[in-house]
Structure formats: structure tokens, C-alpha cells
Amino acid sequence: MYDVLIVDDEPVARQSLRYLIDWEELGFTVKGEAQDGRQALDMLRSQHYALVLTDIRMPVLNGLEMAAEMQEFTDTPVVILSGYDDFAYAREGLRLGVKEYLLKPVDEEDLIALLKKLAAGMREQQLLEKRQRLGLSAGRDQLLRRWVHGQIAARELEEQLRLLGLHANEEKYACLLLELDFIADGEMRERDTDLMRFAIRNIAEELTNGRGYVFEESEERIGILLGGAASVMGVDECRQWAEKLLSSAVKYAKASVTIGVGGSISGVTEIKQSWSEAEEALDGKFLSGAGTVLMPRGKAGAGDGEPDTLRSLEAEVLEMVRGCRRADTMRALARLWECYRLEQLPESRAKMSVLELLIQLFRLMKEQGASHDRLFDSSLGDYERIMRIKTMDELLRFTESKCGDVVDAMLRTKEVRPNKIVAEVKRIVLEQYGGPVSLRDVAATIYMNPNYLGKLFKANTDQSFNDYVLQVRMEKAKELLLHTDKKVYEIAQEVGFSELDWFYKRFKAYTGLSTGDYRNAR
């Protein structure tokens, strides 16, 4: 709850504001009342308030004088309450840092709308402050990423964990990989996705509650490393924890996420295995759809009653696709289907084999950087299509088509060099920075996987795609401020910002100056 201080010399007016609306429903609570500006300043110095609502005309110290003195010791937002005759004073208050003004008598709907707006701004500020506090976590995130990917030696791991105040002395560990479905859909603005990403990370951190660590794997994915006693780290326990995280994201952040769960392991050096299983589980999203918890998929192993030849042929198909050898892929599939017939493989097992192959092909395309959206998407209904197939010949034709399409996509990707890809991405951004531009859309334009493209872009430019887009927009804004007389709101729209206050914040963070100060410096 955000604490509110009401300042007005009329007791009836204070009581009217207190009982005009349901403050708590909007996230606020009236914690104090003052009859003049001087009393309000004393209260603000002794207790923190999130918001001040004040009249202008008061004895001892009026509302504007109070707002001016508040600037010396607090950034608590102030809302001015004014009559029509005080409108000029209210405008002066805006110059003193007053957030908003309301005309008296205060209208219930106007007050509710204003409080909703202020609460949203306060939540945003809290998240941004949390992001700054987590600045030190950039190093922690990097360490955790190296750890789960198996890129750090045991001795270095131990030293780095100690330096960052982390520990690795649990009986069992398991990795989870959370994908932010709303980012993958590309339907949110950058500002909203940033806030939502931090909100969901915050939810995950609260749920771990000392049981593990949360880190950013990529712009679309959040990694979670859980640890604990063997009794609480079984498959069912990890699944239940993931389901709780999923439901909390929906309940508190109103966001859909998909979570892949890796198996439980004992040694800290084996965490890579659990991470790989979590990645593979999450890759099943294109079959199962978003908003689900996906568990590790069972793998055929020795002693499961199936011939070694069958498993070897399934591996051969994948290997031929990996090598982009179309003709050899088709021959390997023919041999696999002949083995199916000789072994009289049940229909259900053959279909399961194809489903597993699709997931492996999906992973392969991601690894190679090929765009998979046009081949593997839950909306395409591949799972339902496979389940409806009636004959082995039809199942073979479907599988041949998918394998052939994957080979073609991978061949197209291999023809393009990294420096050419980066140049093309930059060209697209320079053309489209004035409107919505996302990594997913750019990746689709050049037929690449967005996660792979993001990593490739950062590896070749030392900055993320989003940072580059921001740089282009800010540099163009600087140019327009210095060399044109366009209004700031016109410049904001021209460089891709639909909300002026967000543009102001990003510009100040980027340059260290307000737009007005920057323009006046010319």
C-alpha cells in the first residue's frame, strides 16, 4: 500500500477526501492529515509518504510554498487541489514539480483515474530502482549462465560463488527455464515488456525464497536454479513449484509464461545436464502451446525392449539433417520406416518417434540460427495432424516434408555470413526505428531464429539488439533537437516513442540531460 498525506485547512474537506473512494482497492491508504503546509512538512520529515494531496489556499504555509520546500528533502509526488479561481496557481505548481492538479470539489471518477495513473508510475519507478539495485547481479547472472551451460571449471566456480556471496552445498539441484510468452508474441511495447520482465523475475525471486537463484538467460527467457534436500527436489516437487510460479505470473503480473523443467541432479558440475533437459522440455512448447509446465521427455535407453538398430536409425536421420544432406536424409528415413515394418512397431510408438524427431529438429534449427517460426508453431497444429494420420505411408510423407524443409532452412542460413547478417539488421533498424521494431520481427524478415540472432548480434557488436535500437533512436532525437525547431512530442513520435514521459526518461538516462537542457546547449 502507498501511504497518503492529505493537507487542507478545512476538516470537512479532509474527511470528504478520506471517504470519497475506496483507497485500498486502488493500492493506497490515507495515513495522515495536516491542516496547513507547515504541519505537513513536519510530518513529511518524520515519516515517509508516497503521495501528498494538498489544497493551495491555507494559513501559515500554503500548498505552493509547501511544495517548494518539499523539493529540498523529498521527491514525494504532490497533487494540488484547486478551485477555478486558483487555476493560475495550480499551473504555477506544475512548475514546482507538482505532479497533477484536481479541481475542487473533487470528482470521484477524476480522483480514481488519477490514482490509477500515479500507482502505475510508482510501480514502474520501483521496478526501475530494483533494476538499478540489481546492477551487481549482472555479474551474478553471467556466472549463473556460465555455470548452467557448463562453461566454468569447478575451482573457478567455487571462487566466484564465494566472491558473489553465493553457495553450492545443496543435496540436489534442478534447472528451470521460463519463457515470457508475451515477448515471444511480440504484441507488447518495449516499455511494457521491460516492466513485465522485471515483475516476473521479482515473482520468481520471491518464490525461490533462499532455495535457489534467478538469472536472465536472454531477453525472452529467465533461468532458475533450484536447490535443496533430496526429499524436496523430486520430479513431482519441481513440477509443483513450476506450476506455482506459472499461476503466480498469471495472478499477479497478468502474464502468460511457459516453463521447462530439467531433471534433478546431485553434483554442481552436473548442472549442465539438468539445464539441457530444461531447454529440451521448453522446446516442446511448439507442440503443447504456451502457458504450460513442460517436464523432461523420456529417452529410449538400453533395456527398454527396442532393437538397437531402430534407435540407431532414428539417430542417423537426425545426423543427416544436421549435415544438410537431403538425399541421405530421405534414404535414412526409408530405412527407418522399413525397420518400423519389420519390427511391427505399434502406431503409437511410431507417432511418438516422429514427435520426438520434430522436437530435435526444432532444437537443431535454433542451434544453427535458422528461423523456425514458419515450420514449428503451435498454431500449425502439427501434434493434432500427426495424431490424425491413419497410415504409415502418410506419416512418412509428413516426416519427409518436415525434414526437407528443415534442411532447406538451414542451407539458407549457412549462406549468410555473420557480418552480413549484422549489417542487414542495422539496415532494417535504421529504416524502421520510427515505428515498432522488435528482434522477433527482424529475425522473421531475414529467416533467422530470434534467440540465435540476438546472441550473434551481441557477439559482433558488444551490445544487445534493444540497446542498439535505443541508441539509434536517441542519436536521431539528439540530431532533431539540435538542428530543428520541432516540438519535443513531435520528435518523440518520430523516433518511435508513443508516450512522451517514457521518451523523457530514456533521453535523460541516455544523455544525462533533459531534452530542454540538451536543446539549449546548442
Side-chain angles (χ1 to χ4, degrees):
M1 290 290 177
Y2 299 114
D3 292 346
V4 178
L5 173 62
I6 297 176
V7 189
D8 199 306
D9 61 322
E10 297 179 10
V12 173
R14 297 197 301 269
Q15 290 299 305
S16 175
L17 274 176
R18 179 184 282 272
Y19 298 109
L20 180 63
I21 61 171
D22 186 343
W23 290 86
E24 293 195 357
E25 183 180 352
L26 298 168
F28 294 86
T29 180
V30 178
K31 277 291 187 178
E33 296 180 12
Q35 60 186 11
D36 59 61
R38 180 59 60 200
Q39 183 184 10
L41 288 173
D42 292 340
M43 295 174 69
L44 285 163
R45 286 189 174 96
S46 61
Q47 181 178 339
H48 172 73
Y49 291 90
L51 177 65
V52 174
L53 271 71
T54 181
D55 191 15
I56 290 183
R57 295 177 182 268
M58 296 182 295
V60 184
L61 196 71
N62 68 37
L64 294 182
E65 294 168 334
M66 179 195 72
E69 288 195 33
M70 282 177 61
Q71 290 184 318
E72 299 176 3
F73 67 92
T74 180
D75 58 358
T76 298
V78 177
V79 174
I80 287 287
L81 308 175
S82 68
Y84 284 104
D85 294 339
D86 297 328
F87 183 72
Y89 293 107
R91 294 291 297 272
E92 176 66 19
L94 295 178
R95 297 200 325 113
L96 292 171
V98 171
K99 280 287 185 184
E100 297 282 352
Y101 67 88
L102 289 173
L103 290 175
K104 299 177 69 174
V106 176
D107 180 78
E108 177 182 352
E109 292 184 359
D110 289 344
L111 180 57
I112 289 174
L114 175 59
L115 290 174
K116 286 181 177 179
K117 176 182 175 181
L118 291 174
M122 291 173 184
R123 286 193 295 270
E124 175 185 321
Q125 186 61 34
Q126 286 177 335
L127 289 170
L128 291 174
E129 290 173 357
K130 181 176 179 64
R131 183 181 190 182
Q132 292 171 352
R133 290 197 301 272
L134 289 173
L136 61 88
S137 77
R140 190 185 76 165
D141 279 13
Q142 183 180 24
L143 172 64
L144 290 169
R145 282 194 296 269
R146 291 178 63 200
W147 187 5
V148 300
H149 284 282
Q151 298 171 347
I152 186 167
R155 181 175 296 180
E156 183 187 356
L157 174 62
E158 182 180 348
E159 179 182 348
Q160 292 293 324
L161 288 172
R162 186 174 63 254
L163 288 173
L164 291 170
L166 310 180
H167 62 85
N169 51 13
E170 303 289 357
E171 278 188 68
K172 291 279 188 178
Y173 290 94
C175 293
L176 291 82
L177 185 55
L178 179 152
E179 184 161 273
L180 307 167
D181 297 330
F182 53 88
I183 294 183
D185 293 339
E187 296 178 354
M188 274 191 174
R189 296 171 299 181
E190 177 189 351
R191 174 186 188 179
D192 296 330
T193 57
D194 282 348
L195 293 173
M196 193 70 78
R197 183 190 298 112
F198 292 123
I200 291 176
R201 175 168 179 163
N202 190 50
I203 291 170
E205 287 173 340
E206 288 182 1
L207 285 179
T208 55
N209 193 26
R211 279 194 60 193
Y213 307 114
V214 179
F215 60 97
E216 187 171 298
E217 164 68 5
S218 67
E219 291 177 349
E220 297 182 3
R221 292 182 166 189
I222 294 173
I224 301 158
L225 177 61
L226 284 183
S231 59
V232 297
M233 291 298 296
V235 173
D236 289 338
E237 287 79 11
C238 290
R239 175 181 53 78
Q240 290 168 10
W241 191 92
E243 289 173 346
K244 184 176 181 181
L245 174 56
L246 186 148
S247 62
S248 296
V250 172
K251 181 177 180 181
Y252 299 112
K254 305 296 186 291
S256 170
V257 300
T258 303
I259 304 172
V261 182
S264 179
I265 52 90
S266 299
V268 294
T269 57
E270 299 173 12
I271 284 175
K272 180 182 178 182
Q273 174 187 335
S274 181
W275 180 257
S276 296
E277 291 177 357
E279 285 185 308
E280 185 169 354
L282 185 57
D283 286 338
K285 174 182 171 180
F286 81 91
L287 286 175
S288 65
T292 56
V293 172
L294 302 168
M295 302 304 293
R297 295 181 175 272
K299 296 181 174 63
D304 61 4
E306 292 182 355
D308 291 339
T309 304
L310 183 59
R311 293 192 294 275
S312 176
L313 288 172
E314 290 172 341
E316 183 184 355
V317 171
L318 189 62
E319 191 59 32
M320 295 303 103
V321 175
R322 184 186 298 275
C324 296
R325 297 157 61 180
R326 171 184 280 274
D328 289 338
T329 298
M330 299 307 152
R331 283 191 283 270
L333 282 171
R335 288 193 293 273
L336 176 61
W337 250 250
E338 184 61 26
C339 187
Y340 284 170
R341 293 188 177 92
L342 290 174
E343 297 295 333
Q344 297 183 334
L345 202 70
E347 174 188 335
S348 60
R349 173 60 183 86
K351 289 182 176 179
M352 185 58 64
S353 175
V354 172
L355 288 171
E356 292 287 348
L357 177 61
L358 290 189
I359 293 174
Q360 295 301 325
L361 293 174
F362 176 83
R363 287 173 59 80
L364 181 59
M365 290 187 72
K366 285 178 60 180
E367 291 169 5
Q368 300 298 321
S371 174
H372 52 70
D373 289 348
R374 301 178 186 220
L375 291 179
F376 301 107
D377 188 287
S378 57
S379 63
L380 298 177
D382 284 338
Y383 178 85
E384 290 80 3
R385 183 177 174 185
I386 291 172
M387 291 300 103
R388 288 198 302 268
I389 287 176
K390 300 298 183 183
T391 68
M392 289 292 286
D393 286 340
E394 186 182 353
L395 186 62
L396 174 59
R397 288 194 296 273
F398 170 85
T399 310
E400 287 176 336
S401 175
K402 280 288 183 182
C403 288
D405 289 342
V406 170
V407 169
D408 291 342
M410 290 173 58
L411 285 172
R412 284 197 301 269
T413 302
K414 288 184 176 183
E415 292 172 356
V416 186
R417 296 186 177 184
N419 58 346
K420 187 175 179 181
I421 293 172
V422 171
E424 180 66 8
V425 170
K426 289 184 174 181
R427 184 193 65 77
I428 293 172
V429 171
L430 288 170
E431 286 182 354
Q432 301 181 3
Y433 69 86
V437 54
S438 70
L439 180 62
R440 179 167 291 275
D441 289 341
V442 173
T445 301
I446 59 178
Y447 301 99
M448 292 194 68
N449 168 255
N451 286 331
Y452 179 88
L453 179 59
K455 292 177 181 177
L456 185 147
F457 187 87
K458 188 167 187 177
N460 285 269
T461 64
D462 291 326
Q463 65 181 152
S464 70
F465 173 82
N466 283 344
D467 285 344
Y468 176 70
V469 173
L470 178 65
Q471 174 186 312
V472 170
R473 287 171 167 166
M474 291 296 101
E475 292 300 323
K476 184 62 177 178
K478 287 164 60 178
E479 178 184 332
L480 292 171
L481 284 167
L482 290 178
H483 302 298
T484 75
D485 293 323
K486 291 183 177 180
K487 304 292 186 184
V488 175
Y489 73 85
E490 294 176 320
I491 293 174
Q493 291 179 345
E494 188 169 331
V495 299
F497 286 84
S498 58
E499 297 180 53
L500 185 58
D501 62 335
W502 186 236
F503 171 73
Y504 279 133
K505 290 179 181 178
R506 299 310 292 264
F507 189 87
K508 180 71 176 290
Y510 184 81
T511 65
L513 297 172
S514 67
T515 53
D517 290 342
Y518 189 86
R519 171 166 267 171
N520 292 335
R522 63 182 175 179

